[in-house]
């Protein structure tokens, strides 16, 4: 099983940018699709973006499409979420998660990193 650790969160003004990183441990990182999710206070966790095992395919929630970019570096066992044009509604704890191709759900989760966008 893969272990995940997020970093890169912080406080940024509206319109600013942040890059989140997700570091993975384990020998089979390239066997996992990776997703980013977020959860704001009193809201349910929601999908943000995902990247396929090879990195060739990416998927985004409509709310972040055109502003966020997900990428991965399998050699470094890293996944990134570049967030541009940040809005107050992007404020949340961001989590990365891993899913094997044989699994219907994301099965490994990081502890999260806080992103706060101030107006």
């Amino acid at each position: 099983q893969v272990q995940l650790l997020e970093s890169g969160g912080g406080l940024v003004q509206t319109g600013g940018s942040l890059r989140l990183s997700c570091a993975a441990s384990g020998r089979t990182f390239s066997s996992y699709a990776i997703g980013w999710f977020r959860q704001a206070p009193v809201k349910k966790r929601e999908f943000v973006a995902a990247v396929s095992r090879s990195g060739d395919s990416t998927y985004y929630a409509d709310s972040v499409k055109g502003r966020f970019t997900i990428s991965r570096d399998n050699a470094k066992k890293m996944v990134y979420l570049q967030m541009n044009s940040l809005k107050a509604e992007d404020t949340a704890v961001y989590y990365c998660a891993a899913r094997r191709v044989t699994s219907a759900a994301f099965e490994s989760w990081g502890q999260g990193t806080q992103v706060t966008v101030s107006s």
Side-chain angles (χ1 to χ4, degrees), residues 69-115:
T69 302
I70 189 171
S71 61
R72 69 188 293 163
D73 184 334
N74 283 342
K76 295 181 178 180
K77 298 182 182 179
M78 296 290 296
V79 175
Y80 306 100
L81 186 68
Q82 178 67 43
M83 306 187 296
N84 299 328
S85 303
L86 283 162
K87 306 175 181 180
E89 50 264 42
D90 294 318
T91 295
V93 177
Y94 284 71
Y95 302 88
C96 62
R99 181 178 70 85
R100 285 176 292 183
V101 67
T102 55
S103 176
F106 285 86
E107 56 208 44
S108 298
W109 293 80
Q111 294 184 337
T113 185
Q114 175 71 48
V115 171

Side-chain angles (χ1 to χ4, degrees), residues 12-107:
V12 64
Q13 290 188 331
T14 301
S17 298
L18 279 176
R19 188 176 83 153
L20 304 184
S21 298
C22 175
S25 61
R27 291 179 292 178
T28 58
F29 175 69
S30 60
S31 299
Y32 292 82
I34 302 295
W36 283 98
F37 296 77
R38 66 187 181 187
Q39 187 168 18
V42 303
K43 289 188 176 181
K44 292 183 179 179
R45 185 170 59 196
E46 64 176 0
F47 168 78
V48 175
V51 61
S52 64
R53 291 174 294 164
S54 66
D56 289 346
S57 298
T58 56
Y59 311 87
Y60 297 95
D62 287 342
S63 59
V64 306
K65 203 171 293 183
R67 300 188 298 122
F68 290 11
T69 302
I70 189 171
S71 61
R72 69 188 293 163
D73 184 334
N74 283 342
K76 295 181 178 180
K77 298 182 182 179
M78 296 290 296
V79 175
Y80 306 100
L81 186 68
Q82 178 67 43
M83 306 187 296
N84 299 328
S85 303
L86 283 162
K87 306 175 181 180
E89 50 264 42
D90 294 318
T91 295
V93 177
Y94 284 71
Y95 302 88
C96 62
R99 181 178 70 85
R100 285 176 292 183
V101 67
T102 55
S103 176
F106 285 86
E107 56 208 44

